[in-house]
Amino acid sequence: MTKTCYCKIALLTAVLLSVVSCSSSNEEEEESNIPTTPTEIVFSYGQGTYSGVELPYRIAAINTSTDKKAALVIYLHGGSSKGNDNEKQMAEAGIDSISGYLSKSGTDAILIVPQCPTDKSWGGSMNPVIKSLIDEQVSSGKADSNRIYIFGGSMGGTGTWSLLSAYPELFAAAMPVAGNPTGCIPANVAKTPVFTVMGTDDRIMSIDTVSNFVMQMKNSGAECKYEIESGWTHETTCIESYTSARLDWVFVH
């Protein structure tokens, strides 16, 4: 074989090896960009005395592997989940929706689900209790005081409205669902971005009450999203409201 033939073969071999190498590199790069499966979310048990009230709660750290302070997310359950077993409140569908969203979106967050004592309700005397729980998390250095979010359905929605009224500008954003804002101060609540949802077939909470309150909030300059779902009952609203689009709106603040 001539020297020219050897050179051509060597050149062709080099080109083929280069193509194989690039293809392998690209495949590895593509594989590295495939989203990983969200890690399992584990809620540990907690309990403390806040403003003189014994409060059990469940807590989960989501995507908190870095030194960055995490968002603090509070979820207030409905009236049927009261107690002190620190279990019943975890059956609410909204918790799975919110925690799953946080995990999949890569949001670094501490999610806390307190359980309201049987002889009490969210709002009123329970406001300083939740505020003390929040203060404890912020003072620990783990939670970002500029990223505190509050969610709640039914009694939890009412309690969310109440907290927004009692502590203007404490929360980055809020989502009260199927709740009652009666007795709250619109100008105070207007200082927090709010996304609220009601159902037309809700026989427990009044759409008119919420609509009038939202109008007063907007007159005070509120940033507020208000959606009414046709055919949704009180229970359906509490279960189905936490869509990715709505949660995107809340957590962008």
Side-chain angles (χ1 to χ4, degrees):
M1 187 178 294
T2 67
K3 183 176 180 180
T4 301
C5 289
Y6 277 121
C7 290
K8 288 181 179 180
I9 292 173
L11 179 60
L12 178 60
T13 301
V15 170
L16 289 174
L17 288 174
S18 176
V19 170
V20 171
S21 176
C22 289
S23 175
S24 176
S25 176
N26 289 337
E27 287 176 1
E28 289 176 0
E29 184 176 349
E30 288 174 1
E31 288 178 1
S32 67
N33 290 330
I34 296 174
T36 57
T37 303
T39 57
E40 181 183 1
I41 299 171
V42 178
F43 284 86
S44 57
Y45 292 80
Q47 183 158 337
T49 302
Y50 304 95
S51 295
V53 175
E54 284 289 328
L55 187 73
Y57 61 86
R58 300 289 288 277
I59 182 170
I62 303 172
N63 301 318
T64 56
S65 58
T66 67
D67 293 333
K68 180 182 177 182
K69 288 185 179 181
L72 179 59
V73 183
I74 308 293
Y75 177 88
L76 302 182
H77 62 73
S80 62
S81 298
K82 293 182 183 181
N84 60 6
D85 63 349
N86 214 356
E87 294 279 354
K88 194 185 299 184
Q89 81 271 32
M90 297 304 295
E92 299 206 359
I95 300 169
D96 290 336
S97 298
I98 296 168
S99 61
Y101 171 88
L102 293 170
S103 177
K104 291 176 183 177
S105 65
T107 304
D108 52 314
I110 298 170
L111 175 56
I112 300 181
V113 187
Q115 185 176 32
C116 186
T118 305
D119 61 343
K120 301 184 184 301
S121 296
W122 297 130
S125 65
M126 288 301 291
N127 283 343
V129 176
I130 298 300
K131 177 62 162 55
S132 295
L133 174 63
I134 290 171
D135 289 344
E136 178 184 75
Q137 291 296 316
V138 171
S139 63
S140 73
K142 297 178 181 178
D144 185 345
S145 62
N146 294 314
R147 293 193 299 151
I148 304 174
Y149 304 88
I150 181 83
F151 295 83
S154 190
M155 180 187 77
T158 299
T160 297
W161 285 118
S162 185
L163 280 163
L164 299 180
S165 181
Y167 305 106
E169 301 180 328
L170 172 64
F171 300 97
M175 190 173 172
V177 166
N180 182 1
T182 298
C184 296
I185 303 171
N188 283 3
V189 180
K191 294 181 179 180
T192 303
V194 174
F195 200 133
T196 187
V197 184
M198 294 291 289
T200 59
D201 287 356
D202 191 327
R203 299 294 178 259
I204 298 175
M205 300 296 182
S206 166
I207 286 180
D208 289 342
T209 297
V210 175
S211 297
N212 290 334
F213 190 82
V214 167
M215 186 179 354
Q216 294 177 65
M217 284 174 56
K218 289 186 175 180
N219 289 339
S220 295
E223 181 182 358
C224 180
K225 293 274 286 184
Y226 178 34
E227 293 184 353
I228 300 174
E229 292 285 358
S230 179
W232 279 17
T233 64
H234 184 74
E235 292 76 13
T236 303
T237 307
C238 292
I239 293 170
E240 301 291 343
S241 290
Y242 305 101
T243 63
S244 293
R246 289 172 180 151
L247 294 175
D248 280 342
W249 188 93
V250 172
F251 286 108
V252 78
H253 293 88

